Amino acid sequence: MATKINNNSRKHLANAIRALSMDAVDKANSGHPGMPLGMADIAEVLWNDYLKYNPNNPNWANRDRFVLSNGHGSMLLYSLLHLTGYDLSLDEIKNFRQLHSKTPGHPESHVTKGVETTTGPLGQGLSNGVGMAIAEKTLAAQFNKKDIEIINHHTYVFTGDGCLMEGISHEVCSLAGTLKLNKLIVFYDDNGISIDGKVDGWFTDDTAKRFESYNWNVINNVDGHSSEELIKSLEKALQSKNKPTLICCKTKIGFGSPNKEGKESSHGAPLGDKETKLTKKVIGWDYGSFEIPKDVYESWDKKEKGSNLEDEWNNNFKIYKERYPKDAYEFERRISSELKDNWILKSQEYIKACNEKKENIATRKASQNAIEAYAKILPEMIGGSADLAASNLTMWSGSKDIKEFFDGNYINYGVREFGMSAIMNGISSYKGFIPYGGTFLTFSDYAKNAIRMSAIMSLKNIFVFTHDSIGLGEDGPTHQAIEHINSLRDIPNTTVIRPCDTIEAAIAWKYAIENNYGPTCLILSRQNCEFQERTNEQIALSNKGAYVLKDAKNLDVILIATGSEVGITMNAAKELEREGINTRVVSMLSTEIFEKQNDDYKEEVLPAKIKNRISIEAGSTSFWYKYVGLNGDTIGIDSFGESAPGGELLKYFGFTQKNIIDRVKLMLKK
């Protein structure tokens, strides 16, 4: 329920946001003042009266989540964090957009306390918000009891015209309606302006009707500068039982600016000293640059209120702990992102079992087996697929669709590769879950922007990508492109693992689950892969990303292979040995992991004195010269392929035992 605050007082509090935003953008001579000026009244009502948070503890489990999807409005969020009492000083506000400041151009979760997600490209913040709402609903269903609740909160998102033009927004919002995420409330800042000018005519659809068709509760034509209308809208939104809510707010970009209000000139450039002074005069803000009066600070300060809210929750959780000690322990473990005590032992037991079975199966099937084993240990694993569960094999015997079972662990995303991946970012940011999602490798391009954001935020997400035969297969280049693996490897802070058999698949999943430093992309084959015999020492070394799978004395040549090409490389190496050519085979399941090893280990695997090196991977070759050298050789594909059965394509593109042997002999002749 909203606090009874005089409208003039509300406007005055909102003007503190406006003043700080204008001053910071002007000082930086860079930024976007228009949105903070336009949405300040909405923010004031939400943050003063409805949003549940504690500035003393930005990570309190039952806080409401607030996401700024239109990241150009970053100064609105920074102003709110500063005014309400988060650890964001006035000096940092003055340092807006500067190197190593806590106030970068767009909000970044790993930089500024109180920022829930790194906004990224338009629509991605909204997608993260959908993920957070999914996480809230699912975690609540898994841990709340009939007699006591420990998770019950909302996710609020600020969006603009641009957000609702992006395709990803509609991918995720249609899913949000399907999943009936009633605790998701989105404010649409309908100011009719983009950086290019008025957007009249850019939309031919009716946004309100479009969201109604997505099964959303739509509150239309709200005056975004009227606290009364905003309060009424929020009260109505909070009553929704089975639908997310879109509150369409009519606002004026650059509100209060005598010469730039309602114009694109206030969107992405400072107002300037003269216009800032005029704007402050118009809105009645009679204070100097970066000056906030004491009474305004006192009215905004939420440290005491936030502590009281969290104390109330702590008392509630204490009762929960007494009644349900096992559940309480599990809840605390999960939101702190700790793995179970028996994880190491159980995962090692599974790897040992794989070694004993020696199965010749596709790595996608090996991946499914690993999910089956590991998900039984870790209930926080929440899977999903972009309409390709049967091809990616991301479901296991315990998979439960969250649409049907609120306490479930699987999301049928539909054909939403980008949306799936960005929602996973939201779920991971929320804490309490380890999300994984699958699609075809070629569709990783749709997802790549979200993978990149996952990497920036160092989120534990597991992306499952399958490919056919040599990367092309019967479907041709539309489905099996050859350049994707290397492009994924180029994303900083991202680990790409391409296992060659059941052992490496089990180790890949173990690594991905334990990886706290960014996303992991698993590249899996759809054709059977021959099991490779290993010693216990080799199994242990496979954790290092690359290891010697087959060795010989007095080396003549090193063959570096990855994934489904390891089997054929091993067969070629055995034949070379019979012909008296001493051959080492290195299985390079992850170059990122290998690069993290010390120089001694790298030298041990790839001794510098051995110049004769050939890489074998059914993808583009340029990446591999860092390992084979300019005088080395690569067997790969640097063109788009053909559509044909896999066996024919292997021969056509040279992925045969004979070609590997011929290339080795040619190299040794030189």
Side-chain angles (χ1 to χ4, degrees):
M1 185 67 69
T3 308
K4 291 183 179 179
I5 302 177
N6 179 286
N7 280 338
N8 290 332
S9 298
R10 285 193 177 276
K11 192 67 74 177
H12 194 54
L13 295 179
N15 286 341
I17 299 171
R18 295 186 169 104
L20 284 175
S21 299
M22 287 187 286
D23 289 341
V25 172
D26 278 353
K27 187 174 185 297
N29 197 28
S30 175
H32 300 74
M35 182 278 209
L37 289 169
M39 294 193 78
D41 298 306
I42 305 170
E44 188 278 323
V45 168
L46 179 63
W47 279 65
N48 265 325
D49 295 278
Y50 290 94
L51 197 71
K52 189 164 61 177
Y53 59 100
N54 181 12
N56 306 292
N57 180 15
N59 299 317
W60 169 38
N62 200 44
R63 69 191 183 279
D64 288 334
R65 272 43 171 198
F66 176 79
V67 175
L68 194 67
S69 191
N70 41 354
H72 286 164
S74 58
M75 268 311 308
L76 174 127
L77 180 52
Y78 297 144
S79 298
L80 287 164
L81 294 175
H82 171 70
L83 290 166
T84 55
Y86 283 83
D87 183 20
L88 191 67
S89 68
L90 191 61
D91 285 340
E92 290 293 349
I93 300 291
K94 293 176 181 179
N95 211 23
F96 177 57
R97 288 195 166 218
Q98 303 311 299
L99 184 63
H100 299 151
S101 77
K102 293 181 181 179
T103 49
H106 277 208
E108 297 182 39
S109 57
H110 58 293
V111 172
T112 315
K113 292 180 179 179
V115 172
E116 297 289 355
T117 182
T118 302
T119 301
L122 284 177
Q124 193 140 196
L126 175 56
S127 306
N128 293 173
V130 172
M132 292 172 186
I134 289 172
E136 188 275 341
K137 185 175 182 177
T138 308
L139 197 71
Q142 291 178 358
F143 284 97
N144 286 348
K145 309 296 181 182
K146 288 182 179 180
D147 59 334
I148 189 165
E149 290 185 341
I150 55 172
I151 292 295
N152 183 1
H153 60 81
H154 288 77
T155 301
Y156 297 93
V157 185
F158 276 14
T159 66
D161 303 293
C163 287
L164 296 195
M165 290 183 196
E166 286 284 1
I168 187 175
S169 299
H170 299 282
E171 286 186 34
V172 302
C173 287
S174 58
L175 182 62
T178 299
L179 296 177
K180 301 178 180 180
L181 303 178
N182 63 298
K183 291 182 181 175
L184 174 65
I185 299 174
V186 176
F187 290 88
Y188 167 33
D189 181 32
D190 183 10
N191 58 36
I193 294 292
S194 87
I195 197 167
D196 288 338
K198 292 184 178 180
V199 298
D200 292 343
W202 291 19
F203 287 101
T204 54
D205 63 327
D206 186 316
T207 299
K209 288 182 179 177
R210 187 170 187 173
F211 272 77
E212 285 172 355
S213 74
Y214 295 159
N215 196 42
W216 280 59
N217 171 40
V218 178
I219 305 171
N220 208 3
N221 296 314
V222 175
D223 183 348
H225 302 296
S226 166
S227 56
E228 293 96 333
E229 289 193 27
L230 290 164
I231 289 167
K232 286 178 183 176
S233 300
L234 269 165
E235 292 290 342
K236 187 177 178 182
L238 291 168
Q239 298 308 308
S240 178
K241 300 298 182 186
N242 60 358
K243 293 180 180 181
T245 298
L246 180 70
I247 303 176
C248 304
C249 300
K250 294 289 184 181
T251 65
K252 295 175 182 176
I253 192 170
F255 179 88
S257 173
N259 299 301
K260 297 184 179 184
E261 179 182 282
K263 299 176 181 178
E264 66 272 17
S265 55
S266 70
H267 175 93
L271 296 183
D273 183 62
K274 184 179 178 181
E275 188 69 14
T276 295
K277 287 177 179 176
L278 287 171
T279 304
K280 286 181 178 180
K281 187 176 180 181
V282 168
I283 65 176
W285 188 260
D286 191 25
Y287 307 99
S289 181
F290 296 104
E291 184 184 353
I292 305 292
K294 185 181 177 184
D295 64 318
V296 171
Y297 270 128
E298 289 174 349
S299 297
W300 267 111
D301 193 318
K302 295 296 181 295
K303 291 193 292 292
E304 184 179 354
K305 181 181 178 182
S307 291
N308 290 339
L309 284 168
E310 186 170 356
D311 286 345
E312 186 180 325
W313 183 86
N314 285 335
N315 290 332
N316 192 49
F317 186 69
K318 186 178 178 182
I319 299 168
Y320 182 94
K321 208 168 186 175
E322 290 169 354
R323 295 178 187 175
Y324 309 101
K326 289 182 179 178
D327 288 317
Y329 174 82
E330 187 69 356
F331 176 80
E332 290 182 310
R333 179 190 70 80
R334 284 177 54 174
I335 62 170
S336 61
S337 301
E338 294 178 3
L339 299 176
K340 278 195 170 183
D341 293 339
N342 65 347
W343 164 250
I344 297 292
L345 176 64
K346 291 291 185 181
S347 58
Q348 287 174 340
E349 286 177 355
Y350 175 69
I351 293 167
K352 184 181 178 183
C354 289
N355 196 38
E356 291 169 353
K357 283 186 178 179
K358 306 181 189 303
E359 292 178 294
N360 296 324
I361 58 177
T363 51
R364 66 169 178 173
K365 179 60 181 174
S367 167
Q368 185 183 44
N369 292 346
I371 296 171
E372 179 79 27
Y374 295 157
K376 286 177 179 176
I377 307 168
L378 301 173
E380 59 263 42
M381 290 179 65
I382 183 166
S385 175
D387 203 33
L388 291 167
S391 286
N392 289 285
L393 302 185
T394 47
M395 297 186 92
W396 62 289
S397 62
S399 291
K400 293 166 57 178
D401 185 356
I402 64 165
K403 185 176 181 293
E404 186 177 353
F405 303 96
F406 293 169
D407 64 345
N409 57 11
Y410 199 87
I411 305 167
N412 287 301
Y413 288 99
V415 186
R416 298 178 173 96
E417 295 90 358
F418 190 5
M420 173 185 74
S421 306
I423 285 172
M424 286 167 61
N425 288 347
I427 294 172
S428 188
S429 297
Y430 183 91
K431 303 299 183 187
F433 296 95
I434 301 174
Y436 65 93
T439 187
F440 287 165
L441 176 59
T442 195
F443 303 144
S444 66
D445 257 7
Y446 294 128
K448 200 157 288 171
N449 223 329
I451 297 170
R452 176 177 168 271
M453 295 309 301
S454 182
I456 288 172
M457 291 187 277
S458 300
L459 296 177
K460 184 185 289 190
N461 286 330
I462 304 170
F463 299 100
V464 180
F465 298 128
T466 60
H467 66 92
D468 198 19
S469 63
I470 65 166
L472 292 165
E474 289 86 342
D475 285 327
T478 58
H479 277 60
Q480 274 74 43
I482 52 86
E483 76 279 6
H484 289 306
I485 300 176
N486 281 356
S487 65
L488 288 168
R489 288 171 177 148
D490 281 340
I491 302 173
N493 212 34
T494 302
T495 303
V496 178
I497 309 180
R498 193 169 176 226
C500 76
D501 64 2
T502 56
I503 289 286
E504 288 190 0
I507 285 166
W509 267 100
K510 184 176 184 293
Y511 178 91
I513 288 167
E514 294 173 356
N515 180 17
N516 294 318
Y517 304 102
T520 305
C521 299
L522 305 180
I523 314 298
L524 308 169
S525 75
R526 298 173 69 194
Q527 86 276 12
N528 287 347
C529 294
E530 186 179 348
F531 179 85
Q532 303 298 326
E533 296 285 348
R534 297 172 184 81
T535 64
N536 289 333
E537 184 184 7
Q538 285 175 310
I539 292 173
L541 290 174
S542 62
N543 289 294
K544 295 180 180 288
Y547 62 102
V548 178
L549 186 58
K550 181 199 170 299
D551 210 4
K553 294 179 179 179
N554 303 316
L555 286 177
D556 296 311
V557 64
I558 298 176
L559 303 179
I560 306 168
T562 182
S564 46
E565 286 76 74
V566 168
I568 195 165
T569 303
M570 284 290 287
N571 292 334
K574 291 169 186 175
E575 179 59 33
L576 287 165
E577 283 288 338
R578 284 191 284 271
E579 296 185 28
I581 298 171
N582 299 323
T583 307
R584 170 179 286 186
V585 176
V586 172
S587 178
M588 182 78 74
L589 65 160
S590 175
T591 65
E592 292 81 20
I593 300 173
F594 181 62
E595 290 299 333
K596 291 178 181 177
Q597 308 309 313
N598 61 45
D599 291 341
D600 288 343
Y601 181 75
K602 292 179 190 176
E603 172 65 19
E604 189 180 323
V605 175
L606 297 173
K609 66 181 182 181
I610 308 299
K611 305 296 184 185
N612 296 322
R613 302 180 183 187
I614 300 177
S615 69
I616 304 98
E617 182 176 59
S620 51
T621 63
S622 60
F623 174 86
W624 290 103
Y625 284 99
K626 69 185 287 185
Y627 294 115
V628 302
L630 294 177
N631 296 317
D633 194 8
T634 62
I635 299 175
I637 312 172
D638 288 315
S639 64
F640 293 109
E642 304 279 345
S643 181
E648 291 180 33
L649 289 170
L650 286 166
K651 294 175 186 176
Y652 182 80
F653 285 106
F655 293 93
T656 64
Q657 183 176 317
K658 183 179 182 303
N659 186 45
I660 295 172
I661 292 169
D662 289 347
R663 296 277 278 271
V664 169
K665 289 178 177 178
L666 182 63
M667 175 176 281
L668 294 177
K669 277 184 183 180
K670 292 178 180 178

